[in-house]
Amino acid sequence: MKKPAPQKSFASHPWHGITPGNDAPEVVTAYIEIVPTDAVKYELDKESGILMLDRPQRFSSQCPTLYGFIPQTYCDELVAKRCAERTGVRDIKGDGDPIDICVLTEKVVSNGNLLVRAVPVGGFRMVDGDEADDKIIAVLESDLVYGELQHIAQLPRPLLDRLKHYFLTYKQIPGEGKRSVEIAEVYDRPEALEVIRRSMKDYDRVYGNAPTTPVRSRARRPVARKSRAS
């Protein structure tokens, strides 16, 4: 009897092949590229979907949280338009990348290249030159320390200051011209959800509906969350 041919399976592309989650934008799937202990900066190779070494961390600045992006999001026209509306800066464009996300957890995660479920609580409206480069701030779902937090104002101020310092300095190289990078606004959960919605629409407009792999999760009871004006 002839043996059946072995089935081939392929890993899903972390950006295009995985959904942002059935509960997005309220709860999102995040792909983590780097963790606080990384001495080098990892970044997804957009063509292959493989995590690659982008560059060694040349200086002491390290991201204090899990850091990655939300799959099937794209920082393009709608995100850039929102940035221009909120900051008054003209001629802003999207940076052409998926939306970045920082995920707070009290647990030590040894390495990236993994998926987590995260609850957005706010974000930084970062402008890098003439490009919108939003950073969503989120907490790991069900985290024992951060999991119950709902607004960015509830996060420890020193931690937010460290995040600001990291994003304002990690691209600066001594001896070279100063980059025009600023955090034009720190926003709360409702605005973070709006940015994510826009980035999902930007993705659909540019890439359409690609075959995806849903992320399995246990059935959960809906959690009532309070919201306030950003």
Side-chain angles (χ1 to χ4, degrees):
M1 182 177 178
K2 187 177 181 181
K3 292 183 179 180
Q7 293 184 343
K8 294 182 179 180
S9 61
F10 300 91
S12 298
H13 194 292
W15 183 15
H16 302 297
I18 297 170
T19 74
N22 294 332
D23 302 321
E26 286 78 9
V27 182
V28 299
T29 297
Y31 175 77
I32 302 302
E33 296 169 299
I34 61 176
V35 300
T37 55
D38 282 333
V40 297
K41 184 179 183 298
Y42 298 103
E43 188 168 297
L44 188 78
D45 177 61
K46 293 179 180 178
E47 182 175 351
S48 68
I50 297 174
L51 197 64
M52 62 179 288
L53 194 156
D54 182 41
R55 63 178 181 270
Q57 299 284 24
R58 297 180 60 182
F59 307 103
S60 60
S61 182
Q62 290 176 290
C63 188
T65 69
L66 305 181
Y67 181 49
F69 61 84
I70 304 173
Q72 291 191 17
T73 61
Y74 191 55
C75 184
D76 199 45
E77 292 180 2
L78 294 178
V79 176
K81 182 179 179 181
R82 186 66 169 179
C83 180
E85 292 171 351
R86 300 279 292 199
T87 65
V89 179
R90 300 178 59 186
D91 301 323
I92 291 289
K93 59 185 179 181
D95 69 352
D97 287 331
I99 287 291
D100 296 320
I101 186 169
C102 299
V103 182
L104 281 65
T105 175
E106 59 109 7
K107 297 298 184 183
V108 176
V109 179
S110 61
N111 59 273
N113 191 29
L114 76 158
L115 301 174
V116 302
R117 279 174 59 91
V119 181
V121 297
F124 296 157
R125 197 173 309 280
M126 187 166 155
V127 181
D128 186 352
D130 61 350
E131 295 182 343
D133 189 13
D134 286 68
K135 311 295 182 184
I136 300 299
I137 311 298
V139 298
L140 185 68
E141 186 183 51
S142 301
D143 187 82
L144 293 177
V145 172
Y146 297 104
E148 295 299 318
L149 304 185
Q150 300 176 9
H151 304 289
I152 198 168
Q154 296 173 306
L155 302 183
R157 175 59 58 183
L159 180 54
L160 285 179
D161 289 341
R162 288 177 62 195
L163 276 170
K164 289 179 182 178
H165 179 265
Y166 174 74
F167 288 122
L168 291 174
T169 61
Y170 78 118
K171 292 183 180 180
Q172 302 288 355
I173 300 178
E176 297 187 5
K178 187 175 181 180
R179 292 177 65 98
S180 177
V181 179
E182 66 170 323
I183 296 175
E185 180 184 8
V186 178
Y187 48 74
D188 201 17
R189 176 176 165 83
E191 182 63 20
L193 301 186
E194 177 64 21
V195 170
I196 297 170
R197 289 189 193 97
R198 286 172 176 253
S199 68
M200 292 167 66
K201 290 179 180 178
D202 275 336
Y203 181 91
D204 287 341
R205 179 180 56 81
V206 175
Y207 293 101
N209 294 321
T212 58
T213 299
V215 178
R216 294 182 179 178
S217 60
R218 295 175 297 174
R220 301 175 187 274
R221 291 180 297 176
V223 178
R225 294 185 176 276
K226 299 178 181 178
S227 62
R228 68 183 185 189
S230 58

